[in-house]
Amino acid sequence: MNATGKIGLPLLMFTFSMHAQLLKTYHLNVPVQSNLPKSNSVTDVLVRRDTIWFGTDKGLSNTITNGSAWNHFASTGTFDEKSITAVAMNDEILWAATAYSTKQDGESLPTGDKLHYSTDRGQTWSAVPQPVDAGTVDTIQYGANKIAALAVTTAVNNVAYDIALTRNTVWITSFAGMLRKSTNRGQTWQRVVLPPDNRNSIKPSDTLDFDLAPTGGRLGLRGNLNHRVFSVFASDDSTLWVGTAGGINKSTDGGLSWQKFSHQNQLNAITGNFVVALSEQRWGVRRIIWSATVNAEGSDEVRGVSFSEDGGQNWKTTLLGEFAHNFAFKDSIVYAATDNGLFRSSDFGLSWLRTGTIYDDKNFHRFASAAVYAAGAKGDTIWVSGPEGIAFTIDKPTLPFGTSWSIFRTYETIFANPAKTYSFPLPFSPDDEVVRIHYALTPPSTTVTIRIFDFAMQPVKTLLQNAPRLPGREYDEIWDGKDDFGRRVSNGIFFYRLEDGASEALWGKIFVLQ
């Protein structure tokens, strides 16, 4: 059954096809290399040794040269250009999940695709499909209890949003598919039993009466918010942390028994029960679990960050009101990636610094959106990613955090044809995005002027006026859809004129649709 309560109909041919995919191994020889990222929408950053891995909406990428060269795994081996939803690595073993969108009743729904894994740090790859079940309702034996469990027979709303790796086991999380584990590299999967909403803990010796189901419905199952699973982190092979729409669950016996921490069941509680990220900071003997906790259904729940240094018995809260997505650590320093930028704390959450505009003064790139989805630390280099691309800053005493940025964005190169210019996206909506005007500057040009006109060729905005630019590079200039008086322009076609002081002026088109 899918998460909307509709019963999926298993098809014999579909079952045969999935079985064939399970048994098929793909090998990756050489990734596609380029000097630009594959995509500007990047949701995951994973730093391991000298390699920085990125999960993008066009596949998996990495760099081992701090961004001067990129390796892209899309369209090679097991990968295509579907979105990466999770990446995890343990020693030589690397896992990545992919997903795509499916149109259903006029709505675009997230759909799980494959789980890709490598046992040699990404040199060769295999893949298994996102796990689905047969039937409608089956039974899981948990101690002496027989737990009725929802059979999820569709990949729709069944996306692996997070992955954790322990010895010989991979753990994945999903809204519809719940928490699952595999001990044979995805050939088979087991649903993991978590506490229901009305219990704070479970163990096999308990006498239990609940259903393992993220939603209720016409099958008669009792749905549980705590079975809608979004994040997982393994502190070690025995200690697991799992974030759901019902709180944080902790196991110290390898996922058999669980204790649940929610906004309602503790005095010093998490800010909200929707837990979208979990990570652990290790510094000396200190072990601090950090979580991105968002309001779920409780009226007094709020967005924020919750962290615990005593194994979850007590939580401290910070960054109230912020929607956090992930964390990174450099010794005693914690970084929180949020909708409002990257926050940095050197005193364990008592106070925070926040990045201003992420701007690269070497190539004049900047992030138009403040949102940062992920972060990773490689020594003093702090990497971030989000809807605007990839960037890093240096954080050390001689170069304070956020002082200087290097930004990496992809674009259609025109350097071989400097007489060309274009704008993107086309059309663009000033309500929720900016438009970028792309051009190349060749010698002897050293300044640029860009003016925007409406369809009647009346001047609307002087975007740049004799702005200094270095020749031999390609640039993006950003327009937010406002005129010289700060007023939002109306829908329609606009033109821009680009002058570099040396060549004939170039014209381009912008289509505003909001």
Side-chain angles (χ1 to χ4, degrees):
M1 195 178 85
N2 64 27
T4 62
K6 298 179 180 178
I7 298 175
L9 298 177
L11 301 177
L12 184 61
M13 290 183 64
F14 175 76
T15 303
F16 285 153
S17 173
M18 296 296 272
H19 181 68
Q21 290 185 59
L22 281 168
L23 298 177
K24 189 173 183 179
T25 298
Y26 302 80
H27 293 280
L28 176 64
N29 295 317
V30 180
V32 177
Q33 297 180 331
S34 75
N35 60 355
L36 293 173
K38 183 73 171 179
S39 170
N40 291 326
S41 180
V42 185
T43 55
D44 284 278
V45 176
L46 179 66
V47 178
R48 289 296 183 271
R49 301 179 190 173
D50 291 333
T51 305
I52 304 98
W53 295 86
F54 298 93
T56 83
D57 69 349
K58 290 187 178 180
L60 186 68
S61 298
N62 72 28
T63 179
I64 59 175
T65 60
N66 285 336
S68 62
W70 300 83
N71 300 308
H72 307 302
F73 294 83
S75 303
T76 63
T78 64
F79 292 95
D80 50 24
E81 290 195 352
K82 292 187 177 68
S83 296
I84 300 292
T85 57
V87 184
M89 191 170 186
N90 187 1
D91 295 327
E92 301 292 310
I93 299 174
L94 179 66
W95 281 75
T98 53
Y100 58 99
S101 293
T102 297
K103 287 288 186 181
Q104 191 174 94
D105 299 327
E107 185 179 2
S108 183
L109 299 176
T111 304
D113 180 48
K114 294 177 183 176
L115 291 149
H116 310 255
Y117 66 89
S118 171
T119 59
D120 52 15
R121 295 183 57 81
Q123 295 183 56
T124 59
W125 291 86
S126 300
V128 294
Q130 181 75 19
V132 295
D133 307 312
T136 54
V137 178
D138 51 20
T139 301
I140 294 177
Q141 192 74 37
Y142 183 76
N145 305 279
K146 295 184 183 297
I147 308 293
L150 177 69
V152 181
T153 61
T154 176
V156 175
N157 282 325
N158 181 12
V159 173
Y161 287 117
D162 205 0
I163 303 172
L165 303 176
T166 57
R167 186 182 300 273
N168 300 322
T169 305
V170 57
W171 307 77
I172 63 172
T173 68
S174 171
F175 163 73
M178 299 171 281
L179 178 65
R180 299 189 181 223
K181 70 175 184 179
S182 175
T183 57
N184 55 11
R185 294 180 181 168
Q187 300 302 301
T188 58
W189 294 88
Q190 295 175 262
R191 282 162 290 184
V192 179
V193 180
L194 292 176
D197 292 348
N198 61 359
R199 290 186 65 99
N200 295 327
S201 64
I202 58 169
K203 57 184 183 296
S205 59
D206 292 338
T207 299
L208 301 169
D209 178 23
F210 67 90
D211 300 325
L212 186 65
T215 61
R218 59 183 178 179
L219 293 175
L221 295 174
R222 295 160 289 180
N224 292 279
L225 293 175
N226 200 47
H227 296 160
R228 302 177 183 181
V229 191
F230 297 97
S231 53
V232 59
F233 181 82
S235 292
D236 52 48
D237 288 336
S238 299
T239 307
L240 289 161
W241 301 82
V242 173
T244 73
I248 297 174
N249 301 264
K250 179 186 179 184
S251 174
T252 57
D253 58 5
L256 191 60
S257 306
W258 296 89
Q259 182 180 4
K260 183 176 66 181
F261 310 112
S262 74
H263 180 71
Q264 290 78 21
N265 71 2
Q266 291 179 282
L267 180 62
N268 300 313
I270 58 180
T271 71
N273 289 339
F274 180 22
V275 184
V276 299
L278 291 159
S279 194
E280 187 176 59
Q281 181 183 19
R282 299 187 177 192
W283 186 58
V285 298
R286 303 180 74 167
R287 300 288 186 270
I288 306 173
I289 192 75
W290 291 83
S291 57
T293 44
V294 182
N295 51 301
E297 294 189 351
S299 60
D300 60 342
E301 297 179 29
V302 296
R303 298 176 175 180
V305 169
S306 306
F307 60 101
S308 174
E309 201 169 355
D310 62 2
Q313 299 309 305
N314 293 277
W315 298 87
K316 297 179 181 178
T317 61
T318 187
L319 293 180
L320 298 182
E322 299 293 342
F323 196 124
H325 298 283
N326 228 311
F327 304 95
F329 310 103
K330 190 187 81 160
D331 299 327
S332 62
I333 301 171
V334 58
Y335 304 90
T338 80
D339 278 350
N340 282 320
L342 184 68
F343 286 80
R344 174 195 190 270
S345 177
S346 59
D347 54 13
F348 302 99
L350 292 177
S351 61
W352 296 86
L353 296 174
R354 182 173 67 90
T355 56
T357 300
I358 296 178
Y359 176 69
D360 187 335
D361 58 5
K362 299 178 290 298
N363 60 21
F364 299 96
H365 284 308
R366 72 177 173 92
F367 283 8
S369 168
V372 174
Y373 294 152
K378 179 191 172 190
D380 293 329
T381 305
I382 312 303
W383 289 83
V384 299
S385 68
E388 293 286 312
I390 298 167
F392 72 72
T393 188
I394 305 300
D395 187 1
K396 61 182 181 180
T398 57
L399 193 61
F401 169 73
T403 302
S404 176
W405 288 93
S406 295
I407 292 177
F408 306 92
R409 289 179 50 82
T410 191
Y411 49 82
E412 179 191 346
T413 181
I414 58 172
F415 200 72
N417 183 12
K420 179 181 178 182
T421 180
Y422 63 88
S423 69
F424 67 99
L426 188 67
F428 101 99
S429 172
D431 287 337
D432 54 15
E433 61 187 349
V434 298
V435 67
R436 284 179 162 85
I437 296 172
H438 190 82
Y439 63 95
L441 205 60
T442 57
S445 305
T446 57
T447 62
V448 174
T449 298
I450 299 177
R451 295 186 176 90
I452 298 172
F453 303 85
D454 63 18
F455 193 74
M457 295 309 296
Q458 297 299 311
V460 171
K461 176 77 174 183
T462 299
L463 195 62
L464 296 177
Q465 179 72 47
N466 294 324
R469 295 291 185 267
L470 294 176
R473 297 186 181 183
E474 296 187 49
Y475 295 94
D476 288 335
E477 309 295 350
I478 293 174
W479 182 42
D480 60 5
K482 296 180 180 179
D483 64 16
D484 282 326
F485 300 99
R487 299 171 302 198
R488 181 72 54 82
V489 301
S490 58
N491 289 350
I493 296 175
F494 294 79
F495 302 96
Y496 64 89
R497 176 185 170 94
L498 190 153
E499 304 169 70
D500 63 10
S503 307
E504 184 177 347
L506 299 178
W507 289 87
K509 184 191 303 183
I510 299 171
F511 183 19
V512 175
L513 181 64
Q514 42 193 337

